[in-house]
């Protein structure tokens, strides 16, 4: 896999969640919905498998786990479309009890405050029907919650074939943006989620038939089920634009990515 360098010469398109998707202004609040905590389940990975994933640049997928209650920093939005249904979602993290703890897979620092138990809560008809825990390796920055702390909405986006093209063949894709503090080559990356049959699923990205670590963000919709991405990469002493196409494989609940020839911006 090619190493990609995002540089200052790259023009970054700042695109947050669209206003039509936002239910309320992002705010800090105590979760008092009354919904019961999700029962603890067996971890998806052993310690050895988890270490191997992280060493290869992969991120453990979001999974159900017991919920930590407390004061939460949250961003909530609605109008998530899937299979003829509309959902809403809350992205949140709880203020960690031990503020002297070193950041880990469980936690990261947001505006000087240590948060953990990052979750995606899926709602239907105002009832919480699912809660997934998101691990954030290497103390990566969680951009939407950094924005929420400042009453902003940068760091997430809804990619909707239903809204953009009037197509009902593809569920809306939720894109969450992160920033890797320790990686100078691919600092910003995205993770993707969609709803299938009332269940929120993280969409892995495949390249050449194999799962690949996430890198780059800011996908642009081109046609139903097809998105494009442009990255500025180093090539010796110069830079060039690399173009990728992402195809939404609904049957396998994943995104298939491939590099395609870049002919210039007029080709977009």
């Amino acid at each position: 896999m090619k190493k990609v360098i995002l540089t200052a010469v790259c023009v970054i398109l700042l695109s947050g969640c669209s206003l039509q998707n936002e239910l309320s202004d992002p705010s800090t609040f105590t979760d008092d919905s009354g919904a019961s905590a999700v029962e603890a389940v067996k971890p998806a990975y052993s310690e050895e498998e988890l270490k191997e994933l992280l060493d290869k640049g992969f991120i453990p997928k979001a999974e159900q786990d017991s919920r930590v209650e407390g004061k939460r920093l949250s961003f909530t939005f609605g109008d998530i479309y899937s299979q003829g249904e509309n959902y809403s979602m809350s992205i949140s993290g709880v203020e960690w009890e031990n503020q002297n703890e070193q950041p880990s897979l469980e936690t990261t620092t947001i505006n000087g405050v240590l948060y953990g138990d990052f979750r995606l809560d899926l709602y239907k008809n105002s009832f919480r029907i699912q809660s997934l825990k998101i691990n954030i390796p290497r103390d990566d920055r969680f951009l939407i919650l950094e924005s929420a702390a400042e009453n902003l909405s940068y760091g997430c986006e809804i990619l909707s074939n239903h809204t953009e093209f009037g197509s009902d063949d593809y569920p809306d894709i939720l894109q969450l943006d992160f920033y890797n503090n320790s990686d100078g080559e691919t600092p910003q990356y995205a993770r993707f989620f969609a709803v299938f049959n009332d269940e929120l699923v993280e969409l892995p990205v495949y390249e050449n038939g194999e799962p690949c670590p996430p890198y780059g963000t800011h996908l642009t919709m081109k046609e139903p089920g097809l998105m494009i991405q442009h990255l500025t990469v180093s090539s010796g002493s110069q830079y060039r634009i690399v173009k990728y196409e992402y195809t939404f494989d609904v049957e396998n609940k994943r995104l298939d990515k491939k590099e395609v020839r870049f002919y210039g911006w007029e080709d977009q």
Side-chain angles (χ1 to χ4, degrees):
M1 183 186 69
K2 292 185 178 180
K3 293 291 186 178
V4 180
I5 300 178
L6 302 183
T7 69
V9 300
C10 178
V11 178
I12 300 177
L13 301 178
L14 302 180
S15 56
C17 290
S18 61
L19 294 178
Q20 68 177 11
N21 290 322
E22 190 173 333
L23 284 181
S24 60
D25 290 335
S27 60
T28 302
F29 73 105
T30 300
D31 186 352
D32 57 357
S33 64
S36 60
V38 176
E39 292 295 327
V41 296
K42 182 180 179 181
Y45 309 96
S46 67
E47 289 187 12
E48 292 78 12
E49 290 171 331
L50 183 59
K51 184 179 185 304
E52 185 177 356
L53 277 175
L54 296 176
D55 287 345
K56 292 181 178 180
F58 287 90
I59 298 172
K61 66 180 179 182
E63 60 180 334
Q64 289 192 160
D65 199 356
S66 55
R67 185 184 186 88
V68 177
E69 300 298 339
K71 187 177 181 181
R72 284 189 170 267
L73 177 66
S74 177
F75 183 84
T76 304
F77 55 95
D79 291 337
I80 302 168
Y81 180 84
S82 177
Q83 300 169 307
E85 302 279 357
N86 284 295
Y87 302 83
S88 58
M89 191 179 301
S90 176
I91 308 166
S92 70
V94 70
E95 189 171 322
W96 217 237
E97 184 175 352
N98 182 7
Q99 287 294 308
N100 295 320
E101 183 177 312
Q102 289 297 312
S104 66
L105 189 65
E106 286 276 327
T107 60
T108 193
T109 302
I110 299 174
N111 289 2
V113 179
L114 191 65
Y115 285 87
D117 193 52
F118 298 102
R119 313 196 71 86
L120 290 180
D121 291 328
L122 182 66
Y123 292 84
K124 184 178 181 180
N125 299 325
S126 300
F127 291 97
R128 188 166 73 206
I129 60 176
Q130 190 184 18
S131 183
L132 291 183
K133 179 182 177 181
I134 307 175
N135 290 316
I136 304 179
R138 303 179 300 262
D139 187 30
D140 289 357
R141 292 167 55 193
F142 196 169
L143 298 186
I144 181 57
L145 289 189
E146 289 186 4
S147 297
E150 301 292 336
N151 290 327
L152 301 173
S153 62
Y154 172 74
C156 71
E157 187 172 358
I158 299 296
L159 304 171
S160 176
N161 292 280
H162 178 70
T163 300
E164 189 78 12
F165 304 109
S167 172
D168 294 336
D169 296 332
Y170 303 91
D172 287 357
I173 297 175
L174 169 66
Q175 174 185 293
L176 295 180
D177 296 343
F178 298 83
Y179 194 97
N180 183 348
N181 292 304
S182 63
D183 192 338
E185 293 189 358
T186 58
Q188 196 166 355
Y189 63 91
R191 295 171 67 179
F192 305 94
F193 301 82
V195 178
F196 297 89
N197 300 318
D198 290 347
E199 181 181 2
L200 184 64
V201 175
E202 182 162 10
L203 304 174
V205 178
Y206 277 64
E207 187 173 14
N208 299 322
E210 298 290 336
C212 63
Y215 63 95
T217 185
H218 302 304
L219 271 60
T220 302
M221 305 192 69
K222 187 173 180 64
E223 60 185 62
L226 180 65
M227 295 146 286
I228 59 174
Q229 177 191 60
H230 297 93
L231 297 175
T232 302
V233 305
S234 64
S235 180
S237 60
Q238 299 180 332
Y239 297 94
R240 65 188 181 94
I241 301 295
V242 175
K243 179 180 178 181
Y244 292 98
E245 288 185 348
Y246 287 71
T247 302
F248 191 179
D249 182 346
V250 175
E251 181 178 358
N252 293 303
K253 300 177 183 177
R254 75 187 199 192
L255 299 178
D256 289 317
K257 167 187 173 183
K258 67 177 180 179
E259 183 177 346
V260 296
R261 187 177 297 277
F262 176 68
Y263 291 102
W265 298 110
E266 66 277 3
D267 183 49
Q268 310 312 309

